[in-house]
Every structure is written in structure tokens, then in C-alpha cells.
Amino acid sequence: MHNHSVRELALGQDTREPVYSIVFGTVIIFGLPLNAVSLWILLRHHSLKSPSVLFMIHLVISDLLLIISLPMRVYFYAMGNWPAGSMACIWVTMLFRNNIRSSSIFITFISVDRLLAVVYPLKSRLLRTPSKACRAATIVWLILLAVNVPESLDLYRLLKNYTAPACFEFHPVEVDEELHTSAVAYLQLVLLFVMLVVNIVSTALVSWTLHKHVNDAAARVNNKVNVMLIFAMNLTMFIVFFLPVSLVVFFNNLRPALNCLASVNCCLDPLLYYFSFDGFWKRKEDVDLSLARD
């Protein structure tokens, strides 16, 4: 089959390619400075002794890794061809997948950390330590790298079967389906559902605790609206950005649009940091100092 024919088969004459290029370009324009500034603020103005701040730093790093891979996607959808080889395609693809996976995990860690700080402030003090947060983040990255190895080898093998200089949506349909119905894709979907449930339960428990003032920590949190906005944003990330792109295993033809949607999450994460700094963590630090004095 000629390259042009294969491309038509894979893309289905998709006229939305320029839209994808515009969306990815917009994410770069807004996401890069927002996350760069967020990382600078986290490292310079906030204590690295807070587990949640450490998780936020890793979340920023995950977003920045995604953003630096997006120029290749912009070029691909704007020009209609892939300028680099198979290894570049594999790197860009893995960075995107790792962002979805790591972001969902770190956001869940942040939600659980807040849950422990508000609902179980005394019992969780030994659990919520910087060393354990660093250890958890390291384990997350190591697991992601371990998953990347077989995925990269599988993608490289499949790319060898396609002679055109292509990546992403230019794979033949039958190869594309084989790649995205792997056990890893189903496992990711299951884990996302589990983490979504964890975030929902955390939101409900924190909301109830703050409303009832069932402990001293809850009573001292003044800006409860900001606290609940953080949880609402976490749930939005899962429902709007993470879950749909993981359902691509069932709706493969929607993959380009869902990838675009998922990439927008890195532009909204800085809002999560802002509400955390302004309304919750300063107050939480005051609570921790008060408890320490007691």
C-alpha cells in the first residue's frame, strides 16, 4: 500500500488536524510559563517539609515534561508529517502517557494528605513526613519507568511495520488497535477509577469534617471555600481530563481529540497550587505549629 493510502486509512481524512495543532500550541503558550513560575514559587517560598508541597513539585515536573514534548505534536498536526525517527516518537508518546499517570497519582496523594491533615491531624503526623513523601514519589517514577520499557519496545516494533515517516495518529488502524487494547491500558483505566473513588471519599470526609468542626484542626481552617475548591478541582481533573483519555481503549477513533483535552490539565494545575497556598497550607502550617506547642 502506498504511504498516501495508508495515511488516508489511518486518519480518515480528518479535517480537525489544525485544531489539534492550535490546542497543543495554546497549552504550550499558557502552560509553560504558568508551571515554570509555579515551580519557582514552590521551591523558593514554600517549605519542602510539607508532604503536599513535595507532591505538588512532582506534579509540576510531570506537567513540564509533557509541555516540552508538545512542540513535536504541534508540528505533526500542522504539517501532516513526522520530522523525526521512531525513537523521538517513542519519547514523546511516553512523556504524554506518563503525565496522565503521574498527575493522577500525585493529585490523589495531595487529596489523601489533606484528608489526613484535616480529619486525622494527630494520628497522621508520623505518616505525613517529607521523607515518606519523597519515597512515595520516587516509587511512582520508578514504576512508570518500568512500565515504559515494555511499552516502548512494543511501540518500536509496531513502528517498524510502518514505512511512512509517521507517529501518533498515522499508525495503521489494525496496529493502533493492537497497541491500545494492551493489558496496561486496561490496568490504567481500573487504577484511575480506584483513584477517582479515593478522591470522592476524601472530598466527602473533609467536607463533613469542616462542616461539623469535629476536631481542632478543622475548626482552625478559616478559608473552607478554598479547601473545598481544591478538592473540586481534583475531581474535575479526573472526570474531565484523565478518565476520558483512558477510555480511548474503547473509543479509539476519538483518541486525537481526547489527547488534546487531556493535555489541557497542565494549564489548570497552577490554579490548584494557588488555592493551596492562599487558603489551606498557610492555615495548616499554623495548625501544625499550634499542635506542636501543645
Side-chain angles (χ1 to χ4, degrees):
M1 182 181 292
H2 296 295
N3 292 345
H4 180 68
S5 299
V6 175
R7 176 181 170 179
E8 290 180 359
L9 175 62
L11 290 176
Q13 298 293 339
D14 194 348
T15 59
R16 294 171 296 175
E17 290 178 46
V19 176
Y20 303 151
S21 182
I22 293 171
V23 172
F24 287 129
T26 303
V27 171
I28 296 172
I29 293 171
F30 288 98
L32 183 59
L34 285 173
N35 282 280
V37 170
S38 296
L39 183 60
W40 181 78
I41 293 174
L42 280 165
L43 293 175
R44 186 174 179 85
H45 296 288
H46 290 272
S47 173
L48 299 183
K49 295 181 179 180
S50 167
S52 196
V53 170
L54 292 172
F55 292 139
M56 288 180 186
I57 290 174
H58 286 276
L59 185 58
V60 176
I61 293 173
S62 175
D63 288 340
L64 288 173
L65 289 175
L66 170 67
I67 292 170
I68 64 175
S69 74
L70 293 183
M72 298 295 288
R73 288 182 181 263
V74 172
Y75 180 92
F76 174 79
Y77 286 111
M79 306 303 295
N81 64 81
W82 180 250
S86 297
M87 291 306 299
C89 176
I90 292 171
W91 275 98
V92 172
T93 302
M94 291 302 111
L95 286 174
F96 177 84
R97 295 182 185 179
N98 284 344
N99 175 260
I100 301 301
R101 296 162 182 171
S102 60
S103 293
S104 59
I105 294 172
F106 289 131
I107 284 176
T108 302
F109 282 172
I110 292 169
S111 292
V112 172
D113 183 71
R114 291 197 183 94
L115 166 70
L116 295 175
V118 174
V119 182
Y120 308 104
L122 292 176
K123 295 180 180 179
S124 64
R125 295 190 66 183
L126 294 178
L127 181 62
R128 297 175 51 252
T129 63
S131 60
K132 291 182 179 178
C134 289
R135 200 173 305 137
T138 301
I139 292 174
V140 169
W141 288 115
L142 290 176
I143 292 175
L144 291 178
L145 289 175
V147 172
N148 285 169
V149 173
E151 281 190 318
S152 298
L153 292 174
D154 188 33
L155 181 56
Y156 179 74
R157 176 179 59 83
L158 297 174
L159 286 171
K160 288 175 62 177
N161 296 329
Y162 189 60
T163 57
C167 189
F168 311 129
E169 278 55 68
F170 279 24
H171 301 309
V173 175
E174 64 273 9
V175 173
D176 204 49
E177 291 177 349
E178 179 185 346
L179 177 63
H180 287 278
T181 54
S182 64
V184 174
Y186 286 111
L187 178 60
Q188 176 176 311
L189 183 59
V190 172
L191 289 177
L192 274 173
F193 271 112
V194 172
M195 288 187 288
L196 176 59
V197 171
V198 170
N199 277 271
I200 292 173
V201 172
S202 299
T203 302
L205 286 175
V206 170
S207 177
W208 180 81
T209 302
L210 292 177
H211 180 69
K212 297 294 184 180
H213 289 190
V214 297
N215 57 46
D216 185 58
R220 291 173 184 246
V221 177
N222 288 338
N223 201 336
K224 296 178 174 61
V225 173
N226 273 23
V227 176
M228 296 316 302
L229 276 174
I230 297 167
F231 281 95
M233 287 185 62
N234 289 348
L235 290 177
T236 300
M237 291 290 184
F238 271 87
I239 296 171
V240 177
F241 301 113
F242 301 148
L243 206 53
V245 76
S246 297
L247 290 171
V248 75
V249 67
F250 302 112
F251 308 101
N252 187 58
N253 58 315
L254 298 177
R255 178 159 51 90
L258 293 177
N259 285 346
C260 279
L261 179 65
S263 68
V264 177
N265 85 86
C266 64
C267 294
L268 298 183
D269 283 336
L271 290 177
L272 172 66
Y273 315 141
Y274 171 78
F275 286 119
S276 296
F277 300 154
D278 184 60
F280 183 80
W281 289 112
K282 290 181 181 179
R283 185 62 55 186
K284 183 191 77 63
E285 290 168 359
D286 292 342
V287 171
D288 286 345
L289 289 174
S290 175
L291 291 175
R293 287 194 296 268
D294 294 341

